[in-house]
Amino acid sequence: MAGPGKVLKPPTRPPKGLRKAKLETPAAASPAVGEPTATPVAAALVPLARAGGAPAAPAPKPTRAARPRSASRRKFLNDAFAIPAWLTFFSGTGLFLLGFIQRFMFPNVLYEPPTTFKAGFPGDYAVEEFSQKFKELYRVWIVREPTEIFALYAKCTHLGCTPNWMATEDKIKCPCHGSGYYRSGINFEGPTPRPLERVKVSLADDGQLLVDTSVHYQYELGQWSLPGSNLKYS
Ligand code: FES
């Protein structure tokens, strides 16, 4: 009993029996602050709504062992094709870049033999020799006659093929359309309209023959009588 003048304070803690009862109450039965309080009817409808098609909880992720075999095979095939594809792509790109750099960093130079060369001493050639020594590299024959030496340019005057020296027939024959030339270079058969051309020949300081393939002499223009079209020899 409280005495007079003594103010009774409300108990700060519920009695022991009540506390236990509250702890044993399920959480669903005591909604959090702010949540709507579920009425008994609503609580009864919740299981029905779930059974009627409410979104199910996400299925647990299958473990590696539980994964389907076809999926693993598909992944393997994807990897197997992806690596060569990337390799091809990168190598192709690399080659393209190399070509690009090579094209623009280095000049597009055509390496050709010099137009002037020494062909040895006149005495190195026997009289009436038709030398093919320089045909491969300079496209020139050196022809030694009893009184002169000249250099014939081995280019057919029909369409530009390289003719052949036929030693047994003592003539020059073009393999393309059959034009024929004497050893002097004068044409005598086939479709070619004119003789072969001669190139400049002179004596170098050391006494060797000096041939210049950039200077040509044409018979039909009367140029075979010019100095340089031949070298008089006795
Ligand atoms: S190119 Fe020599 S005959 Fe035609």
Side-chain angles (χ1 to χ4, degrees), residues 155-177:
K155 182 177 179 181
C156 183
T157 47
H158 179 221
L159 293 177
C161 288
T162 302
N164 298 311
W165 167 241
M166 317 292 285
T168 52
E169 300 173 48
D170 197 28
K171 70 176 185 181
I172 301 161
K173 188 75 174 172
C174 181
C176 292
H177 311 100

Side-chain angles (χ1 to χ4, degrees), residues 21 44 48 91 93 98-99 111 135 141 149 153 156 172 207:
L48 291 176
S91 50
T93 307
L98 270 179
Y111 294 98
K135 183 191 173 191
W141 290 299
I149 289 180
Y153 196 53
C156 183
I172 301 161

Side-chain angles (χ1 to χ4, degrees), residues 74-156:
R74 201 161 40 241
K75 184 176 181 313
F76 170 76
L77 286 177
N78 282 347
D79 291 349
F81 283 112
I83 291 171
W86 279 111
L87 282 177
T88 307
F89 171 76
F90 282 120
S91 50
T93 307
L95 284 176
F96 172 78
L97 285 176
L98 270 179
F100 187 81
I101 290 169
Q102 195 265 343
R103 174 71 181 83
F104 287 98
M105 297 295 287
F106 300 100
N108 203 7
V109 178
L110 181 63
Y111 294 98
E112 287 187 334
T115 58
T116 304
F117 66 97
K118 286 183 176 176
F121 296 95
D124 295 340
Y125 298 91
V127 177
E128 297 193 347
E129 180 177 344
F130 194 99
S131 173
Q132 304 204 74
K133 217 185 316 184
F134 302 102
K135 183 191 173 191
E136 195 70 35
L137 192 55
Y138 299 101
R139 212 176 185 181
V140 162
W141 290 299
I142 306 292
V143 186
R144 166 82 192 272
E145 299 292 27
T147 58
E148 65 174 358
I149 289 180
F150 58 85
L152 264 185
Y153 196 53
K155 182 177 179 181
C156 183

Side-chain angles (χ1 to χ4, degrees), residues 36-46:
T37 309
T39 62
V41 175
L45 287 176
V46 166

